[in-house]
């Protein structure tokens, strides 16, 4: 018999491995492609330093045209960028989870394939193949699978990444391809490493009897648990963004908002024009709510800066102090604003139309600020100093803590101060108009407002409260969609891996099933054995998702305000899907094994 050359041995070993064990190759390729596609999307949102390249536009109005001379002042834009970095970090962590699930699938399938190919490899070794030739064949086989995986998965991921970046509601910073190469290279390396498992039986030239290696079912539990966890997180974000898109206290889409830019107008004159606008709009009789407030107030967003409170006798450790210095969120509001945002008064009075430029300076605080920085929580009648200024404001009321639905609002201080928009008039304001029942909004309201404010028409833009809320929550909805997409990629890996591993697991039990059948075990007993072990793996995955679910929800809550509790129905829905796939993957081969002759099962293992 003609002896084959080294390249011939490598070629035939490689093609035989790809052709004869195509099921394992297909599972490895699908898992790798899904992992590469998912990592490509996330890598497109990173810079070379593995930090997010996503950015948000500057909050409308910027510094509101006011003098912020306190170093403790924090803008809304900087808070939102911090929240954005937190969510991006969570997205990267989920991508690492996708890689882990893919690696578990690839290595578990590779281990089972190596056990199936043990006799083949030993025969090649016995007839003269060297370890170096078998190493070359394993590297070639792994390289082919890895190359196909990277090319196809990268192409799909590239299309998805372009769609993701086009849908991003903000700006993009410069991009580097380094994270993409690192993540794709990690996936390819795992695939090649799995191919090298076939070298384990090649340590000697003797052909030994081998028994199928039983795949570890904890790999299935890990896949199921991580997939269910990520899908539940994505579902939670999407559901929360949809719920928060309806402005609180205004009804779904029934409030008109005029975005006003009065920059360049002196503050005293600006205050007088704002008062004239409120008076004229109310006199029309068309509106139930006429609220003039700084941008972001409806979502609980505003710049944060220092305040000094005349506390009374508050404890600081073992000492009593009169003055307390803290930071609070600043909102600039009119008389109707508290009704517009559904923040009812709990003590004192709200801001009135008479709180104008030349009136005594007043302020309303929220309940959290009153409770923490005024004696016994009784803030009404006490004083409060803003920033580093010398002027004191009298606290005239306390309002309930309003919902903070805006993106990044969770990072703001708990305390909030509400100043009269007619006493401290910001350059950028929103005029919210809710018509009385049955009335229509004045079609010329934007032009009339511009005339009263003596501004060009382009500096008064008309929109709706619903549109503003949707735009504010657009980043949150974006992350919800793409965290969900990562979860579906993980689910695809888990489905293929779970189905394949369960079939390999049952195949490894053929000898045991044959012995049990020969000893008189009924088919139902065999099916119950497989079903019991499969249910154990599924239960382990659900337990993993339930155990880490609260921690995952808390991680999201650090960047998302008002996040509700995790939806148990979503967890059960995704968990039931994967559990069903795992059980079907086990019961199909178990059914065939239970109906086969015992001698046939033992002979199939020994052959």
């Amino acid at each position: 018999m003609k002896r084959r050359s080294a390249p011939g041995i490598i070629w035939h070993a490689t093609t035989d491995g790809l052709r004869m064990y195509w099921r394992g190759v297909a599972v490895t390729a699908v898992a790798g492609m899904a992992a590469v596609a998912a990592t490509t999307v996330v890598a497109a949102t990173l810079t070379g330093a593995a930090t997010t390249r996503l950015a948000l536009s500057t909050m409308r109005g910027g510094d509101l045209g006011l003098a912020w001379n306190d170093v403790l002042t924090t803008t809304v834009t900087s808070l939102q960028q911090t929240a954005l970095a937190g969510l991006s970090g969570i997205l990267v962590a989920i991508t690492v989870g996708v890689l882990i699930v893919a690696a578990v699938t690839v290595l578990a399938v590779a281990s089972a394939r190596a056990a199936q190919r043990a006799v083949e490899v030993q025969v090649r070794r016995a007839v003269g193949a060297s370890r170096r030739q078998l190493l070359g064949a394993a590297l070639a086989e792994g390289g082919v699978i890895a190359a196909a995986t990277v090319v196809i998965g990268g192409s799909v991921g590239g299309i998805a990444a372009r769609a993701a970046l086009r849908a991003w509601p903000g700006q993009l910073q410069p991009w580097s391809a380094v994270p993409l190469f690192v993540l794709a290279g990690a996936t390819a390396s795992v695939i090649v490493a799995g191919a090298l498992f076939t070298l384990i039986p090649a340590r000697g030239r003797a052909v030994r009897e081998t028994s199928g290696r039983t795949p570890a079912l904890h790999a299935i539990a890990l896949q199921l648990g991580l997939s269910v966890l990520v899908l539940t997180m994505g579902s939670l974000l999407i559901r929360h963004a949809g719920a928060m898109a309806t402005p609180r206290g205004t009804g779904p889409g029934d409030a008109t908002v005029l975005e006003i830019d009065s920059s360049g107008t002196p503050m005293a004159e600006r205050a007088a024009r704002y008062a004239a606008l409120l008076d004229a709009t109310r006199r029309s009789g068309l509106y139930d709510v006429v609220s003039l407030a700084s941008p972001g107030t409806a979502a609980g967003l505003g710049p944060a800066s220092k305040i000094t409170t005349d506390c009374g006798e508050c404890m600081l450790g073992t000492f009593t102090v009169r003055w307390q210095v803290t930071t609070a969120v600043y909102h600039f509001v009119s008389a109707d604003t508290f009704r517009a945002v559904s923040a009812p008064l709990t003590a004192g009075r709200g801001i009135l139309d008479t709180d104008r430029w030349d009136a005594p300076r007043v302020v309303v605080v929220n309940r959290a600020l009153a409770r923490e920085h005024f004696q016994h929580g009784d803030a009404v009648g006490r004083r409060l100093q803003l920033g580093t200024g010398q002027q004191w404001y009298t606290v005239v009321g306390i309002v309930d803590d309003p919902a903070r639905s805006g993106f990044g609002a969770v990072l703001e201080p708990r305390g909030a101060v509400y100043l009269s928009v007619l006493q401290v008039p910001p350059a950028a304001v929103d005029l919210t108009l809710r018509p009385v029942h049955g009335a229509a909004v004045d079609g010329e309201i934007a032009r009339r407002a511009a005339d009263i404010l003596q501004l060009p028409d382009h500096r008064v833009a008309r929109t709706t409260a619903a549109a503003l809320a949707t735009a504010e929550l657009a980043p949150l909805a974006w992350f919800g969609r793409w965290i969900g997409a990562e979860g579906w990629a993980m689910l695809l890996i888990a489905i293929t891996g779970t189905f394949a591993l369960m079939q390999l697991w049952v195949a490894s039990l053929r000898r045991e099933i044959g012995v049990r059948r020969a000893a008189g075990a009924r088919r139902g007993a065999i099916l119950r054995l497989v079903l019991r072990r499969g249910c154990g793996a599924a239960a382990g995955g659900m337990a993993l998702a339930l155990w880490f679910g609260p921690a995952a929800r808390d991680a999201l809550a650090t960047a998302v305000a008002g996040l509700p509790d995790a939806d148990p129905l979503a967890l059960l829905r995704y968990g039931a899907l994967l559990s069903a796939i795992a059980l079907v993957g086990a019961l199909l081969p178990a059914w065939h094994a239970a109906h086969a002759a015992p001698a046939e099962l033992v002979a199939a293992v020994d052959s």
Side-chain angles (χ1 to χ4, degrees):
M1 184 176 65
K2 184 179 179 181
R3 186 181 179 88
R4 288 178 178 173
S5 63
I9 293 175
I10 294 175
W11 168 258
H12 283 282
T14 301
T15 54
D16 286 347
L18 294 174
R19 178 175 52 83
M20 296 174 60
Y21 304 96
W22 62 270
R23 288 185 178 86
V25 171
V27 171
T28 300
V30 169
M33 289 173 192
V36 170
T39 54
T40 299
V41 173
V42 175
T45 67
L46 299 175
T47 65
T51 56
T52 181
R53 65 182 291 226
L54 305 176
L56 294 171
S57 302
T58 302
M59 181 78 173
R60 189 176 69 84
D63 62 0
L64 303 180
L66 303 174
W68 301 94
N69 55 356
D70 179 19
V71 295
L72 297 178
T73 299
T74 305
T75 64
V76 173
T77 302
S78 64
L79 286 173
Q80 289 183 327
Q81 196 63 35
T82 302
L84 183 61
L87 282 177
S88 296
I90 292 173
L91 190 59
V92 171
I94 290 172
T95 303
V96 173
V98 172
L99 290 175
I100 291 174
V101 170
V104 169
T105 299
V106 169
L107 296 179
V109 171
S111 178
R113 288 178 63 222
Q116 290 179 324
R117 299 180 62 180
V119 173
E120 172 210 339
V121 173
Q122 289 175 356
V123 169
R124 291 184 187 278
R125 188 82 176 91
V127 298
S130 67
R131 293 188 182 93
R132 183 174 298 179
Q133 290 166 348
L134 294 177
L135 173 62
L139 290 175
E141 181 179 329
V144 169
I145 301 174
T149 292
V150 171
V151 171
I152 299 175
S155 299
V156 173
I159 296 172
R162 284 194 293 271
L165 295 179
R166 283 197 301 268
W168 173 244
Q171 303 168 343
L172 295 173
Q173 298 173 350
W175 179 67
S176 170
V178 172
L180 176 60
F181 288 128
V182 171
L183 295 172
T187 305
S189 299
V190 171
I191 293 174
V192 173
L196 295 179
F197 280 19
T198 57
L199 298 178
I200 296 174
R203 289 170 291 186
R205 291 185 178 274
V207 180
R208 301 180 180 88
E209 180 182 357
T210 61
S211 59
R213 181 178 302 171
T214 303
L217 293 187
H218 60 258
I220 296 174
L222 178 63
Q223 290 175 330
L224 189 150
L226 289 178
S227 301
V228 170
L229 188 62
V230 173
L231 285 168
T232 304
M233 291 171 64
S235 174
L236 180 64
L237 278 180
I238 294 173
R239 181 166 58 91
H240 178 59
M244 291 294 101
T246 300
R248 191 181 181 194
T250 60
D254 65 350
T256 296
V257 178
L258 301 184
E259 297 180 316
I260 298 169
D261 176 13
S262 294
S263 55
T265 306
M267 289 188 65
E269 188 175 347
R270 191 188 303 160
R273 293 178 183 178
Y274 287 168
L277 175 63
L278 288 172
D279 291 341
T281 307
R282 288 202 184 96
R283 282 198 304 269
S284 69
L286 296 175
Y287 307 106
D288 176 55
V289 170
V290 180
S291 167
L292 191 65
S294 51
T297 297
L301 292 169
S305 190
K306 188 179 80 171
I307 62 170
T308 303
T309 66
D310 182 1
C311 180
E313 294 184 358
C314 294
M315 298 300 298
L316 183 62
T318 58
F319 300 95
T320 58
V321 295
R322 179 175 179 182
W323 317 109
Q324 285 203 354
V325 178
T326 186
T327 56
V329 183
Y330 282 56
H331 298 294
F332 305 87
V333 302
S334 65
D336 276 358
T337 301
F338 296 125
R339 279 203 302 142
V341 300
S342 295
L345 282 165
T346 61
R349 68 171 178 86
I351 298 297
L352 304 178
D353 291 334
T354 54
D355 296 322
R356 302 196 174 195
W357 179 262
D358 53 355
R361 302 293 173 172
V362 297
V363 63
V364 173
V365 301
N366 71 333
R367 190 164 53 180
L369 181 63
R371 181 176 60 251
E372 296 172 9
H373 296 286
F374 288 93
Q375 184 180 0
H376 305 310
D378 186 10
V380 176
R382 295 195 177 276
R383 297 182 304 163
L384 183 150
Q385 192 179 69
L386 306 179
T388 57
Q390 300 301 314
Q391 192 169 19
W392 288 88
Y393 288 68
T394 301
V395 178
V396 294
I398 303 173
V399 295
D400 198 6
D401 299 331
R404 294 185 175 184
S405 59
F407 186 70
V410 70
L411 301 176
E412 290 188 322
R414 289 167 47 83
V417 294
Y418 297 86
L419 303 166
S420 172
V421 74
L422 305 181
Q423 290 187 339
V424 188
V429 289
D430 289 342
L431 179 64
T432 301
L433 305 171
R434 185 175 64 191
V436 298
H437 182 69
V441 176
D442 182 0
E444 296 294 317
I445 185 62
R447 184 186 59 80
R448 298 182 195 279
D451 290 343
I452 294 172
L453 297 171
Q454 302 177 33
L455 296 173
D457 289 348
H458 70 273
R459 293 175 70 177
V460 180
R462 180 174 173 173
T463 183
T464 65
L468 285 179
T470 300
E472 177 59 43
L473 292 166
L476 182 60
W478 186 93
F479 274 100
R481 286 192 297 271
W482 289 102
I483 287 177
E486 295 287 305
W488 286 111
M490 191 180 291
L491 180 65
L492 175 61
I493 298 171
I495 287 174
T496 55
T498 296
F499 199 83
L501 287 175
M502 292 300 285
Q503 289 198 320
L504 289 170
W505 171 63
V506 175
S508 71
L509 296 177
R510 289 175 71 88
R511 180 190 295 275
E512 178 184 345
I513 293 174
V515 173
R516 287 176 179 267
R517 289 282 291 127
R522 295 181 179 274
R523 294 187 180 96
I526 299 299
L527 293 176
R528 285 194 296 272
L529 169 68
V530 174
L531 184 63
R532 185 169 59 251
R533 295 185 183 180
C535 286
M542 290 298 296
L544 183 69
L546 289 170
W547 180 265
F548 289 102
R553 188 262 175 204
D554 291 344
L556 286 177
T558 61
V560 180
L563 192 67
D565 293 334
D567 184 4
L569 293 179
L571 189 147
L572 291 175
R573 187 165 56 246
Y574 295 126
L577 173 63
L578 269 183
S579 299
I581 291 169
L583 295 178
V584 169
L587 288 176
L588 286 179
W591 176 269
H592 292 297
H595 286 76
E600 179 185 344
L601 295 172
V602 176
V605 174
D606 293 335
S607 60

